[in-house]
Amino acid sequence: MTVEGGGGRDAATTPIIPGFSPDPSVCRVGADYYLANSSFEYAPGIPIWHSRDLRTWTQLGNALDRESQFPAGASDPSRGIYAPTLRYRDGTFYLVTTNVDAPGEQIVVTATDPAGPWSDPIVLAGLGGIDPDLAWDDDGTCVLTYCGLDPALRPHGGDLPVIAQARVDLARGEVRERPRVVWGGTGLAHPEGPHLFQRDGWWYLLIAEGGTERGHAVSVARSRAIDGPFEAAPANPILSRRSTSSPVQNTGHADLVERPDGTWAMVYLGVRPRGFSPAFHVNGRETFLARVEWVDGWPVVHVDDLLPAPADTAFIDDFTGPLHPRWVSPGAPLSAFVERAAGGGLLLRRTDAATGAPAALSARTRDLRWRYEARVDASAGAVALRVRLDERHWYEARLDAGALTFAARIGPLSVSDDVGRVDGEAVTLVVEAVDATAEGPDDLRFGVIGADGERWLAQKDGRYLSTEVAGGFTGRTLGLHALGAEPARILSARYSPVAG
């Protein structure tokens, strides 16, 4: 069961890592916590975070930062890199994940420093599925548990995935046995996202169920042996917001961690939908925190902890130092189209991926209301500021030799309108998420700041850049990309939350 508390800025409604940070996996080394998230088609992939208190997190880097680990630009929206598991053993960090565009494989990368560099992948073939987990039995045997999608694992039919497992040899990159089913879940849809951990002589198997939409939930089972048989908890699911009026929904896909004082905590994903039914979430699935109490040998989830403050999401970047790990791209590795400009800032070259996505210097939106400004060289090549959910759902403002255009694509429909001109050698393109004028989650308002001051160009309903409209597993990103043969020049970028 889930126990909720009273008012305040509580963990039930405040993400600890806001904005497109799904499928969290956490581990502790001494007094330090480390966390990894899914990244799907974006590169570099799998953000790695650090905290000393589980509440305040700093991004250290991205684990998959080169082509030998993840071929950037080859994956369609909401494909690519799925749910990772991050673990630590004997001085080494292990990160296991799935690239769904390499079916039948699970990949493992390792590092002695979670900030990187991370190794080239160890490829474990013949394990068709997603959401892998690593655990080590008492004799040191490594076990990979995952959401099995191979029909051979379901000899009696049915279309639900199962939780499967196999012993693996990471040193040799080998699967040591035929995978076996260890649990089918409680009967809810889509059992997935398994994590195994040990406590008081029991192996606990934590899974997500119900699908990653409004029915999402966390369930748990236990066994005396790492390979089962597993007994389901009597109070499953132990976490869900389904059929409630909570402002945070779709809660699930959790991982557990023990604090140094012996208490336990859970990280899990959730979304913050807004607007009229069915309500729309736009920042993707975010990472939340809960306290865990053990009662009669089973975890009970409490979401009544108070958080000291929301995450600090604001940034100003003039691109004078190394590129911050917040910057990613859906269409190509950053190194393929970003370079330092001689006079300061960055040059962006037009590069389109095989999937059709333009390579864009992109950052995740992380708040319900926010403002983003990109100061660009108006005398350089044409440039666009795009708010993207995927390649079929985006709005953008374009600047080409002083001419301004607003363009949009919603599914099969696209529009492009001339919206005036702007003077000045340096021009600032602006976009804000503001209160909705209709029944959506917000409006997106595009503007420009030039020699004659600030003015607004277009304001559009934000629901069309939501998961409920577009589908998929990601959230909005703010991308800057070149439009023509001449490189665009970006002088600085600024993002700030706005009180709503």
Side-chain angles (χ1 to χ4, degrees):
M1 67 180 168
T2 306
V3 181
E4 299 202 20
R9 192 180 300 281
D10 58 61
T13 59
T14 306
I16 54 171
I17 305 179
F20 179 18
S21 302
D23 306 324
S25 179
V26 64
C27 69
R28 178 176 62 85
V29 182
D32 296 284
Y33 300 93
Y34 301 96
L35 187 146
N37 294 113
S38 298
S39 50
F40 298 94
E41 73 266 29
Y42 287 88
I46 306 188
I48 303 294
W49 303 83
H50 170 256
S51 175
R52 297 299 297 270
D53 61 4
L54 286 174
R55 292 167 169 81
T56 304
W57 294 85
T58 301
Q59 188 176 357
L60 298 178
N62 297 280
L64 307 183
D65 62 0
R66 56 188 185 274
E67 290 288 287
S68 60
Q69 298 169 313
F70 174 57
S75 295
D76 286 322
S78 291
R79 292 188 61 82
I81 299 298
Y82 277 32
T85 296
L86 179 63
R87 294 294 182 255
Y88 177 82
R89 179 178 172 85
D90 297 335
T92 298
F93 290 88
Y94 294 84
L95 186 68
V96 60
T97 189
T98 311
N99 178 355
V100 297
D101 294 309
E105 297 179 355
Q106 310 299 328
I107 60 174
V108 180
V109 294
T110 64
T112 55
D113 183 345
W118 290 79
S119 71
D120 281 345
I122 301 163
V123 178
L124 300 169
L127 302 175
I130 58 174
D131 302 358
D133 172 86
L134 289 179
W136 286 262
D137 206 350
D138 294 334
D139 64 1
T141 300
C142 186
V143 172
L144 189 145
T145 307
Y146 64 107
C147 171
L149 303 178
D150 188 343
L153 294 171
R154 306 188 298 271
H156 302 297
D159 58 358
L160 288 179
V162 293
I163 305 303
Q165 188 183 87
R167 291 174 175 84
V168 298
D169 185 330
L170 297 182
R172 296 174 178 268
E174 294 177 353
V175 179
R176 294 175 53 187
E177 61 185 349
R178 184 186 300 274
R180 60 190 174 277
V181 177
V182 292
W183 194 27
T186 69
L188 297 179
H190 304 295
E192 58 190 6
H195 290 303
L196 267 174
F197 57 95
Q198 215 173 5
R199 180 183 182 273
D200 289 348
W202 290 96
W203 280 100
Y204 289 86
L205 177 56
L206 196 73
I207 69 167
E209 290 189 287
T212 194
E213 298 81 30
R214 295 295 191 265
H216 212 198
V218 178
S219 297
V220 67
R222 70 182 183 183
S223 172
R224 289 295 186 184
I226 197 170
D227 55 357
F230 285 91
E231 166 201 5
N236 278 328
I238 62 170
L239 173 66
S240 184
R241 292 292 187 281
R242 60 190 186 186
S243 302
T244 72
S245 59
S246 171
V248 175
Q249 290 290 327
N250 304 29
T251 53
H253 203 112
D255 199 7
L256 294 179
V257 65
E258 185 178 10
R259 294 186 175 100
D261 64 2
T263 61
W264 288 69
M266 171 185 283
V267 293
Y268 63 96
L269 69 79
V271 306
R272 293 181 285 173
R274 296 294 185 270
F276 191 66
S277 180
F280 306 90
H281 75 277
V282 299
N283 287 334
R285 300 169 299 164
E286 306 174 286
T287 294
F288 292 79
L289 176 69
R291 176 171 55 89
V292 171
E293 180 183 6
W294 292 89
V295 179
D296 297 328
W298 294 105
V300 176
V301 182
H302 296 260
V303 291
D304 54 358
D305 282 1
L306 293 181
L307 299 181
D312 182 8
T313 58
F315 69 82
I316 301 174
D317 201 333
D318 62 4
F319 306 113
T320 55
L323 204 59
H324 192 279
R326 73 171 63 91
W327 297 110
V328 294
S329 172
L334 294 171
S335 59
F337 69 98
V338 179
E339 62 181 86
R340 300 287 174 188
L346 299 177
L347 294 179
L348 306 184
R349 300 187 183 278
R350 178 169 180 171
T351 303
D352 292 346
T355 62
L361 182 70
S362 304
R364 295 162 170 87
T365 63
R366 306 189 65 196
D367 300 276
L368 299 179
R369 301 290 180 265
W370 46 264
R371 178 181 172 98
Y372 181 64
E373 301 177 3
R375 189 164 175 81
V376 303
D377 182 349
S379 65
V383 65
L385 167 55
R386 173 176 290 191
V387 183
R388 176 188 195 263
L389 200 285
D390 61 28
E391 239 8 77
R392 289 167 55 84
H393 299 83
W394 50 262
Y395 298 146
E396 71 180 20
R398 299 170 177 171
L399 173 66
D400 185 1
L404 294 163
T405 305
F406 175 79
R409 180 170 181 183
I410 306 299
L413 305 177
S414 59
V415 297
S416 178
D417 296 317
D418 294 334
V419 287
R421 294 190 59 83
V422 63
D423 295 323
E425 293 184 2
V427 170
T428 301
L429 298 175
V430 180
V431 59
E432 295 182 342
V434 299
D435 290 344
T437 54
E439 296 174 334
D442 58 8
D443 279 6
L444 292 173
R445 181 167 63 175
F446 288 80
V448 64
I449 304 173
D452 57 351
E454 179 175 291
R455 70 180 189 273
W456 298 109
L457 307 175
Q459 184 163 328
K460 301 297 178 182
D461 192 329
R463 79 181 72 190
Y464 301 109
L465 306 191
S466 72
T467 301
E468 283 72 18
V469 171
F473 305 124
T474 63
R476 289 177 182 166
T477 56
L478 301 163
L480 295 160
H481 66 101
L483 293 169
E486 294 298 317
R489 183 180 173 208
I490 311 302
L491 303 175
S492 63
R494 177 195 297 260
Y495 173 92
S496 58
V498 176

